[in-house]
Amino acid sequence: MADSKGTLLSQVDDTTSDPPPAYDASAAPTPRLPRPPPLSLPVLNTLRTKRVILASASPRRRQILSLLGLPFEVIPSNAAEDFPKTMEPFEYVLATATKKAQAVYSTEINNEEKGEPALILAADTIVVDNVSGSILEKPRSEAQHITMLKMLRDNRVHKVYTAMVAMAPLESARLPGYALETHIEETDVVFDGEVTDDLIVAYVRTREGADKAGGYGLQGLGSILVESIQGSWDNVVGLPLKAALRLIEKVVAKADDDDDGDEMLEGEEDEE
């Protein structure tokens, strides 16, 4: 009997990785839900037929902006981010984002092959320590990365600012030739004060936060360092989507209003 049992057991393959079959043989596999249609808003519907540029190399910003269902090109700015960090955080982050947008605008506005863009969106994100007031961007070495995260843990609360700049060229010759709108989003982040030095070192060595302002990624493993946030979650990731949509609506409306105003003036001149 024992030999018979052993023979039966030897025929069972325990190495398979396939999921077990359903007990109900008639059960059909659950179909995947269809992808929802993109947001149908007038401004987005108009821009879907035009050239839109995201002036950022950040894969996180690209991923967030794509949620709007808006086709866009990624053209990172080559402008140097060299403003002095002695500036006020609001001024610094806005100046940097504006410089990025204007650099891409100047190179693409006369693009004969693709045509001028209808919209350029640029952004810059910084982390500001509440105690020292210092602006923290991407760590430049492993040692600096560890020191940065220890400071954020010890000081507990810091702020994340993202400045966004949207530019829309005007059809008129009115200077400066474009409509411009800006927005700065602010979020408070509370680090977990019980995070150990060992955990910080282990996290740094994953290099997940090496390319991120403040040295951590809230959307990934870096969330284990954070206790809570007050404000926009996607602002900490790099692009507050709700604010970005409002900014796009404002700058496109501003450009349209300017063009409509010029048409009215031309009509009045013709009547004279």
Side-chain angles (χ1 to χ4, degrees):
M1 184 69 176
D3 291 343
S4 175
K5 183 177 180 181
T7 301
L8 289 173
L9 290 174
S10 67
Q11 295 174 1
V12 177
D13 182 5
D14 290 331
T15 63
T16 179
S17 59
D18 294 332
Y23 288 110
D24 181 2
S26 64
T30 304
R32 290 185 178 181
L33 293 175
R35 175 178 291 183
L39 284 174
S40 182
L41 294 174
V43 66
L44 297 180
N45 293 338
T46 299
L47 288 173
R48 286 186 181 110
T49 63
K50 298 184 178 182
R51 190 175 178 219
V52 176
I53 295 174
L54 173 62
S56 173
S58 166
R60 296 165 294 280
R61 292 193 182 114
R62 183 168 65 244
Q63 184 179 25
I64 293 172
L65 186 61
S66 67
L67 295 175
L68 294 179
L70 184 65
F72 58 89
E73 301 172 49
V74 174
I75 303 180
S77 166
N78 57 7
E81 299 179 25
D82 53 3
F83 291 105
K85 291 185 174 59
T86 52
M87 296 172 66
E88 289 296 320
F90 268 69
E91 296 174 353
Y92 177 88
V93 72
L94 181 57
T96 303
T98 302
K99 190 175 183 180
K100 289 179 180 181
Q102 290 177 333
V104 173
Y105 174 87
S106 64
T107 59
E108 295 299 320
I109 192 63
N110 295 316
N111 189 318
E112 295 181 359
E113 180 182 352
K114 296 182 178 180
E116 70 176 29
L119 173 72
I120 295 173
L121 180 66
D124 189 61
T125 300
I126 59 172
V127 172
V128 179
D129 176 58
N130 279 16
V131 175
S132 65
S134 56
I135 296 173
L136 309 177
E137 293 188 300
K138 301 171 186 176
R140 297 184 179 181
S141 67
E142 182 175 292
Q144 186 192 43
H145 197 172
I146 292 170
T147 300
M148 184 183 293
L149 292 180
K150 285 182 178 179
M151 180 182 69
L152 292 178
R153 175 203 60 193
D154 295 342
N155 294 343
R156 296 299 305 279
V157 182
H158 61 271
K159 292 185 180 295
V160 177
Y161 297 104
T162 296
M164 296 181 294
V165 177
M167 300 177 68
L170 305 177
E171 292 184 7
S172 69
R174 191 189 305 273
L175 294 176
Y178 54 80
L180 185 145
E181 289 289 334
T182 66
H183 175 79
I184 300 176
E185 191 83 5
E186 175 183 337
T187 301
D188 287 327
V189 180
V190 182
F191 256 41
D192 183 350
E194 296 183 358
V195 167
T196 64
D197 288 355
D198 287 344
L199 178 55
I200 286 176
V201 171
Y203 175 72
V204 166
R205 288 178 177 167
T206 69
R207 298 190 61 78
E208 179 193 72
D211 64 340
K212 298 172 179 63
Y216 68 96
L218 183 64
Q219 74 280 16
L221 189 59
S223 62
I224 63 176
L225 307 174
V226 175
E227 181 177 297
S228 64
I229 67 168
Q230 294 180 348
S232 168
W233 178 88
D234 48 8
N235 177 47
V236 184
V237 179
L239 191 75
L241 187 61
K242 180 169 66 174
L245 176 57
R246 290 176 178 171
L247 192 67
I248 291 170
E249 290 175 327
K250 285 176 65 177
V251 76
V252 170
K254 189 174 183 179
D256 289 345
D257 288 346
D258 182 88
D259 294 337
D260 291 343
D262 273 6
E263 289 177 3
M264 291 178 63
L265 288 174
E266 289 175 4
E268 291 173 0
E269 290 174 358
D270 291 342
E271 290 176 3
E272 293 176 358

